[in-house]
Amino acid sequence: MSDSSPARPAAPVLDVWCELQCPDCRSTLDDLRALRARYGDRLELRLRHFPLEKHKHAFAAAQAAEEALEQGQGWPYVEAVLNRVEELDRLGESFLVEVARELGLDAKEFDTALIDGRHILIVDADQAEGKAIGVTGTPTYVIGGERLDGGKSQEGLRERVEEIADRLLAEQG
């Protein structure tokens, strides 16, 4: 017997181009929490990596975030690291493993992932795609084909994301 109910349309996607050693990205956390609270699973927030060369631990942090995602704690891990950017600056990779331990993740697996580089291709691909679409700094949001640069100013950014998300959801019916 076939199910005749219409398939639910895919949620609009908000790509969040982020760098975990970036203080500006930390200030986006309130916006992301508010967007999650407002839309729940009607809006997909997708972490995209754009490590900047000026931050020496950003590439490792992006790989660690991918490992956290694999272990089911991607956003909690990202928030925990961003909330303690100064410690990442000071302690580097040992801090990334420590945060994993604090969140109850497999810290040994984090350490191994950072050594064997299993997530490098994902980070490289995100960075290449970001450059291709004109991302120059973090945070940058992309939703509905529109790029919103939060690296210059985050003023009014959440409202703009909400306008676009509301429009996309209304278009879905």
Side-chain angles (χ1 to χ4, degrees), residues 80 84 87 95 97-105 107:
R84 295 160 60 189
E87 288 176 74
F95 170 72
V97 175
E98 180 54 36
V99 171
R101 188 174 293 114
E102 289 169 10
L103 290 174
L105 299 171

Side-chain angles (χ1 to χ4, degrees), residues 33-40 42 162-163 166:
R33 279 187 211 103
L35 290 166
R36 266 196 219 100
R38 177 171 175 170
Y39 295 103
R42 294 181 310 131
E162 289 173 349
E163 280 172 25
D166 289 345

Side-chain angles (χ1 to χ4, degrees), residues 34 37 39 51 62 65 67-70 78 92 99 106 111 118 128-129 131 136 139 148 156 166:
Y39 295 103
E67 181 60 30
L69 200 61
E70 206 164 272
V78 165
V99 171
D106 184 340
D111 201 32
R118 68 183 74 157
E129 185 182 333
K131 285 179 182 170
T136 55
L148 307 167
D166 289 345

Side-chain angles (χ1 to χ4, degrees), residues 1-167:
M1 188 157 76
S2 68
D3 181 5
S4 62
S5 63
R8 186 166 172 214
V13 174
L14 172 63
D15 279 329
V16 182
W17 296 87
C18 183
E19 197 245 61
L20 298 190
Q21 203 174 345
C22 168
D24 288 337
C25 287
R26 174 172 48 200
S27 52
T28 67
L29 290 176
D30 287 340
D31 284 346
L32 295 178
R33 279 187 211 103
L35 290 166
R36 266 196 219 100
R38 177 171 175 170
Y39 295 103
D41 62 1
R42 294 181 310 131
L43 177 67
E44 181 186 344
L45 270 61
R46 194 165 56 185
L47 176 66
R48 305 300 300 273
H49 303 290
F50 202 77
L52 303 169
E53 284 182 23
K54 67 182 177 182
H55 294 137
K56 65 181 177 182
H57 304 300
F59 196 80
Q63 293 176 69
E66 281 300 314
E67 181 60 30
L69 200 61
E70 206 164 272
Q71 293 190 30
Q73 293 285 315
W75 282 109
Y77 184 84
V78 165
E79 289 193 24
V81 172
L82 282 173
N83 278 321
R84 295 160 60 189
V85 148
E86 298 77 13
E87 288 176 74
L88 176 56
D89 286 346
R90 203 172 60 250
L91 303 171
E93 290 187 20
S94 65
F95 170 72
L96 296 170
V97 175
E98 180 54 36
V99 171
R101 188 174 293 114
E102 289 169 10
L103 290 174
L105 299 171
D106 184 340
K108 191 169 173 23
E109 199 57 37
F110 262 77
D111 201 32
T112 304
L114 289 170
I115 292 166
D116 70 19
R118 68 183 74 157
H119 302 296
I120 286 176
L121 291 177
I122 293 169
V123 177
D124 281 345
D126 272 4
Q127 197 166 33
E129 185 182 333
K131 285 179 182 170
I133 64 167
V135 174
T136 55
T138 56
T140 297
Y141 299 135
V142 177
I143 182 171
E146 191 168 334
R147 189 179 73 241
L148 307 167
D149 186 352
K152 294 185 177 78
S153 169
Q154 292 180 46
E155 194 65 41
L157 213 54
R158 183 169 82 209
E159 292 78 9
R160 187 71 190 114
V161 168
E162 289 173 349
E163 280 172 25
I164 297 168
D166 289 345
R167 187 190 75 228

